[in-house]
Amino acid sequence: MKAQDIIPDGQDFTVIDGHTVRKGSVGAFLANARVLEDPNATADERRIARDDLAALIPTLDALGLFDVFELRSPALRDEVARHRVTLSPAPAASPRA
């Protein structure tokens, strides 16, 4: 499969599982991850990167990115996991017998 099979040339986005996947979503995630891993990043740069990264998580989940790739950085892995937990639907209540 090629990139244009996911988002055809001339289009900027597609919808997967109800989530808008824009061209550049994965690249933006990686750029934000680099900021969060940069020891020289300012607190403001980190806050913005953390917010932007969190906003991308539903889209990357819809793509299945986290089902295929494991994040190497424990801090980044924890950050993503923390946000994924808040996005997961609550388990259904078990029926009473």
Side-chain angles (χ1 to χ4, degrees):
M1 182 170 293
K2 297 178 179 147
Q4 62 267 25
D5 296 330
I6 304 296
I7 302 176
D9 290 338
Q11 288 186 356
D12 294 328
F13 70 94
T14 190
V15 177
I16 299 175
D17 292 337
H19 296 279
T20 300
V21 178
R22 294 185 48 82
K23 284 186 177 176
S25 295
V26 174
F29 178 84
L30 294 172
N32 290 313
R34 283 188 208 102
V35 171
L36 292 174
E37 294 291 303
D38 181 356
N40 297 316
T42 66
D44 196 43
E45 290 170 331
R46 289 177 171 287
R47 180 190 52 76
I48 292 167
R50 188 173 288 110
D51 290 348
D52 290 346
L53 182 133
L56 288 164
I57 291 172
T59 297
L60 300 179
D61 264 332
L63 284 171
L65 185 90
F66 303 117
D67 297 331
V68 177
F69 296 107
E70 181 178 342
L71 301 169
R72 287 186 188 178
S73 162
L76 186 58
R77 194 168 45 242
D78 290 346
E79 182 76 20
V80 169
R82 185 171 61 83
H83 288 287
R84 288 181 81 200
V85 166
T86 64
L87 297 170
S88 296
S94 58
R96 295 184 180 218

